[in-house]
Amino acid sequence: MTQPIIEMKDIVKFYGEVKAVDHLSLNIFHKEVFGLLGPNGAGKTTVVEILEGLRKADAGEISVLDQPVPEKLDRIKQKLGVQLQITDLPELIRVKELLVLFAGYYNHSLPVAQVLEMAGLTEKKQVYTKHLSGGQKQRLALALALINDPEILILDEPTTGLDPQARRNIWEIIKNWQKAGKTILLTTHYMEEAEQICDRVGIIDRGKIIALGTPEELIRKQNLATAIEFELSENAENFDEKLFPEIEEFYRQGQNITAFSREPQKILVELVRALDNGSLPIKQISLRKTSLEDVFLELTGRKIRD
Ligand SMILES: Nc1ncnc2c1ncn2[C@@H]1O[C@H](COP(=O)(O)OP(=O)(O)OP(=O)(O)O)[C@@H](O)[C@H]1O
Ligand SMILES: [Mg+2]
């Protein structure tokens, strides 16, 4: 494998008694979109802020672009684009002016017009930042992180609180940035987001990486059962699961049944047969794909959000 662009070895961080990061090691490679995925308080922000030099690790080694952190941060920062979890934008300034101001902080920056275009903010360039919508503010925060043409873009929950369309807009900006040959590290607690845009994800829980790989690998590795949901035209209490030996677990609710199996194809065939010979009055059948959400539940026994 190629040399990692971000290398973290055995990182530990305490806040008083709280161990926020617990011997975490992680490599991130050139041109990947890497997602650090975990519930509230898992340690995501702490990890990325240690990388950005905003917090100091108690132990461990970090290198970014082959330079040690925090020793060489001044040099690294020129090539780093950062969007913090909580971004307070100055309010009495227009969108374009703010980008021009930020561009001035760096030795090298992209043309402001290009960044406005990438972030879909060209039409808003003369607007005061306080008049932007939530999604537009988030895009502006992202634009500010892109202004120095960073090799590595670090985004802490870039889409939290946004509606699906606004979220998709942000995903597109991130994917386009990757296409331009850059590396992106983002944190999220949206499983769907990780599945949609990340090449690899690390699931973090209580300061530890508990699973690492592509979303497909993680789902496959857990070898989870597929959920088969079907609705009957009568109450499901008469449903006899013994007729379907491949069902590992199932729940009844009114006329609905959710069954879990590692051999969903066989169950489907049996269900269709039962429908055909009139032994089971099925109204509809659907399969639910196993998701990262199921992987998290299997690994921790908890849901990522309550
Ligand atoms: N400045 C701080 N002082 C004390 N404890 C802190 C501080 N910052 C974070 N923590 C604690 O460290 C742990 C990790 O917090 P962190 O903010 O890194 O989690 P997170 O994964 O980013 O969570 P979220 O999804 O809510 O943003 C939590 O238990 C949190 O309460
Ligand atoms: Mg956080």
Side-chain angles (χ1 to χ4, degrees):
M1 221 183 221
T2 49
Q3 183 69 14
I5 197 165
I6 296 176
E7 218 173 341
M8 281 177 273
K9 268 193 218 143
D10 226 11
I11 306 299
V12 177
K13 173 73 182 175
F14 279 94
Y15 298 109
E17 300 279 286
V18 177
K19 202 189 230 177
V21 184
D22 189 1
H23 296 279
L24 177 139
S25 297
L26 186 62
N27 288 340
I28 291 165
F29 296 93
H30 192 43
K31 290 189 200 176
E32 70 177 345
V33 177
F34 186 94
L36 202 52
L37 185 62
N40 288 138
K44 303 180 294 297
T45 296
T46 306
V47 169
V48 296
E49 293 195 350
I50 288 171
L51 275 179
E52 294 156 358
L54 296 171
R55 307 190 197 198
K56 200 173 173 312
D58 295 313
E61 279 171 44
I62 303 167
S63 90
V64 175
L65 291 158
D66 286 329
Q67 310 271 347
V69 173
E71 294 79 4
K72 298 283 179 193
L73 259 173
D74 282 347
R75 286 174 68 173
I76 298 166
K77 271 187 182 161
Q78 293 289 333
K79 299 189 169 179
L80 216 56
V82 169
Q83 182 186 349
L84 301 179
Q85 184 167 6
I86 298 160
T87 316
D88 276 328
L89 295 168
E91 293 203 324
L92 289 173
I93 188 165
R94 296 172 206 271
V95 169
K96 186 179 164 189
E97 288 166 356
L98 187 60
L99 281 161
V100 170
L101 183 70
F102 267 61
Y105 297 152
Y106 295 97
N107 301 337
H108 165 70
S109 64
L110 291 171
V112 168
Q114 184 185 338
V115 176
L116 282 167
E117 198 57 36
M118 280 194 294
L121 288 169
T122 303
E123 283 172 21
K124 299 284 171 191
K125 65 183 178 187
Q126 296 302 350
V127 169
Y128 282 105
T129 64
K130 66 174 174 184
H131 293 139
L132 295 176
S133 72
Q136 289 161 350
K137 279 191 181 134
Q138 208 85 347
R139 295 213 297 276
L140 177 56
L142 191 48
L144 293 170
L146 292 176
I147 192 74
N148 60 324
D149 195 16
E151 277 311 309
I152 303 175
L153 185 61
I154 303 182
L155 310 171
D156 197 357
E157 307 218 7
T159 68
T160 294
L162 298 185
D163 62 58
Q165 184 54 46
R167 183 166 298 152
R168 265 163 222 288
N169 292 339
I170 301 269
W171 293 352
E172 207 184 311
I173 300 169
I174 293 171
K175 284 310 247 182
N176 284 338
W177 195 244
Q178 178 186 35
K179 279 188 206 137
K182 315 293 186 158
T183 307
I184 296 109
L185 164 61
L186 60 90
T187 76
T188 183
H189 55 251
Y190 295 118
M191 296 287 179
E192 194 209 345
E193 177 158 288
E195 285 186 46
Q196 291 282 335
I197 64 167
C198 296
D199 301 308
R200 286 195 310 141
V201 299
I203 298 184
I204 179 171
D205 188 38
R206 301 189 171 124
K208 282 193 167 93
I209 298 279
I210 56 170
L212 183 70
T214 66
E216 299 76 32
E217 273 168 5
L218 295 186
I219 290 166
R220 201 162 1 103
K221 238 188 258 165
Q222 289 299 313
N223 188 24
L224 294 171
T226 303
I228 304 128
E229 298 170 321
F230 48 100
E231 186 189 351
L232 305 181
S233 56
E234 61 182 30
N235 195 295
E237 64 195 17
N238 296 327
F239 173 71
D240 184 4
E241 82 280 7
K242 290 189 207 69
L243 299 174
F244 302 91
E246 286 84 15
I247 291 183
E248 293 164 37
E249 207 179 325
F250 79 104
Y251 305 100
R252 294 186 179 95
Q253 192 178 37
Q255 295 180 211
N256 296 293
I257 293 169
T258 305
F260 293 91
S261 174
R262 263 162 266 254
E263 296 184 280
Q265 319 85 324
K266 288 194 181 165
I267 302 212
L268 276 183
V269 171
E270 288 163 4
L271 285 174
V272 170
R273 196 173 294 142
L275 175 67
D276 198 40
N277 67 26
S279 60
L280 199 61
I282 301 169
K283 273 171 75 181
Q284 56 174 345
I285 304 176
S286 63
L287 283 186
R288 184 166 63 76
K289 247 178 75 184
T290 322
S291 68
L292 278 179
E293 190 95 44
D294 301 307
V295 173
F296 186 82
L297 184 65
E298 182 78 9
L299 286 171
T300 65
R302 285 174 285 126
K303 288 206 164 197
I304 192 156
R305 274 163 294 166
D306 10 273

